[in-house]
Amino acid sequence: MKKVFVSGCYDMLHSGHVAFFEEAATLGDLYVGIGSDKTIKELKARKTINNDQERLYMVKALKTVKDAWINQGSGIIDFLEEIKQLKPDIFFVNTDGHSSVKEELCKDLGIEYVVSKRVPHGNLPSRSTTALREECKIPYRIDLAGGWLDQPNVSELCAGSVLTICIEPDYEFNDRSGMSTSSRKKAIELWQVDIPSGNKEKLAKTLFCFENPPGTKYVSGSQDALGLVMPGLNKFHYTGSFWPSDIETKLDNGLLDWLEQHLWLVPLYPRHDNYDVLSNTNITPENVKKLSEAAFDCWKAINNKDTKSFGQALTQSFEAQITMYPNMISNDILEILEKYKDSVDGWKISGAGGGGYLIFVSEQPVNNAIQIRIRRG
């Protein structure tokens, strides 16, 4: 029998985990590496519900599992020593567990890398640990175009808009991944379980002020708080201030359905601790104008449901960003991007870059990518 290796957290064990293990076990004897409490805290910025010994006990009790252990390493490749010792034939992951770092490791070690879709067993509902955690009703956000224009030192050179979409927490997006995870932590601290009812702009301003109290050295852009709180697709127009001068929201189901069908996310890795996006910047009126114009074109293309123009504008916005903030991108990210560029209509990296997710626009499914669900109300 071939040796099949999987690795993950497996907290709050549910039918989705079992279905994943069953599918992996069809390929051979299944071995499971489990993330330690310390590693999960580092990667997810939260404690597990069940400690690592409880999780190990439950996973080892499953009939499909040949053996399991607690990985002794740290970070996204916490299983490095274990996988070298096991020497599996196959490394099996879900789409939301896929990472180019894991794929490259398998290539170096001569291990077959298999990415599976998240498919529930029989008629059972689709399950994820994230969906079962009560506090995870707080959404995430993706900035599509114009990112950095919510900083006054940028928009004072040329006014422009930031486009965001509010994302349901169907996945537990990596911490420090450009999905507004730091603002989301503050939202959980402030509201615990979900965004409360009430005036959305006032709620966003409350979150913004809570995250940036008087004396804050680096003020987070308000698109983070606004993008989390305000559902749907939003355009926030900035004219040299921390708060937008105008807000336009789109909640049309047809438009949001179209966006969901054309956006694809490929996981990279969490941003490094020593990441400094604010060094070596090149913020000029000419560069900011290009960013502003790209965001305007992107808004127009989305509203026209024009995939080609949407992709082009998304890419132009991204290129304007990395011209001003070259540290957003690295050579290893560019290498991964090169593998996809010829088969998609446009691309960017999530948030301020340095890791996180590659975001693609495409009419066709993108290999090893996940899709999101936009919050409607």
Side-chain angles (χ1 to χ4, degrees), residues 42-45 76 140-143 171-185 224 265-272 275 328 333 348-359 370:
E42 291 171 350
L43 289 177
K44 305 294 187 181
I76 195 169
Y140 294 86
R141 78 92 181 87
I142 291 176
D143 65 310
Y171 306 100
E172 190 163 11
F173 293 102
N174 289 331
D175 192 43
R176 296 174 59 81
S177 64
M179 305 288 285
S180 198
T181 53
S182 59
S183 297
R184 185 174 185 266
K185 289 177 203 169
D224 291 343
L265 275 64
V266 172
L268 295 170
Y269 41 76
R271 195 178 297 148
H272 303 302
Y275 175 65
M328 286 182 64
I333 295 174
K348 73 180 297 290
I349 198 167
S350 58
Y357 296 84
L358 283 169
I359 300 172
I370 59 177

Side-chain angles (χ1 to χ4, degrees), residues 231-252:
L233 166 69
N234 288 278
K235 178 164 70 76
F236 309 121
H237 192 71
Y238 292 90
T239 56
S241 298
F242 279 111
W243 202 254
S245 59
D246 183 68
I247 297 174
E248 187 172 351
T249 299
K250 297 284 186 176
L251 293 171
D252 174 69

Side-chain angles (χ1 to χ4, degrees), residues 80 267 308 337 365:
L80 181 59
K308 296 293 183 185
L337 179 57

Side-chain angles (χ1 to χ4, degrees), residues 146-157:
W148 294 112
L149 282 163
D150 61 343
Q151 293 295 323
N153 68 309
V154 177
S155 64
E156 68 183 3
L157 300 179

Side-chain angles (χ1 to χ4, degrees), residues 354-375:
Y357 296 84
L358 283 169
I359 300 172
F360 296 110
V361 173
S362 176
E363 293 272 8
Q364 304 301 321
V366 174
N367 191 35
N368 298 337
I370 59 177
Q371 288 188 285
I372 48 81
R373 195 162 51 95
I374 300 173
R375 178 163 289 198

Side-chain angles (χ1 to χ4, degrees), residues 54-69:
E54 289 180 285
R55 292 183 281 123
L56 177 61
Y57 169 73
M58 289 187 286
V59 169
K60 289 188 76 168
L62 297 173
K63 65 181 181 180
T64 52
V65 175
K66 179 80 170 181
D67 197 12
W69 56 80

Side-chain angles (χ1 to χ4, degrees), residues 1-8 10 20-35 56 59-60 62-71 79 82-93 111:
M1 292 286 286
K2 290 185 176 182
K3 293 180 182 178
V4 182
F5 176 67
V6 303
S7 183
Y10 311 118
F20 173 68
F21 291 148
E22 287 178 340
E23 185 180 358
T26 63
L27 303 177
D29 288 334
L30 179 60
Y31 297 83
V32 183
I34 298 171
L56 177 61
V59 169
K60 289 188 76 168
L62 297 173
K63 65 181 181 180
T64 52
V65 175
K66 179 80 170 181
D67 197 12
W69 56 80
I70 305 298
N71 295 327
F79 50 80
E82 288 83 359
I83 201 172
K84 286 181 177 179
Q85 184 175 351
L86 178 65
K87 297 179 181 178
D89 301 283
I90 298 170
F91 186 10
F92 193 80
V93 300
I111 299 168

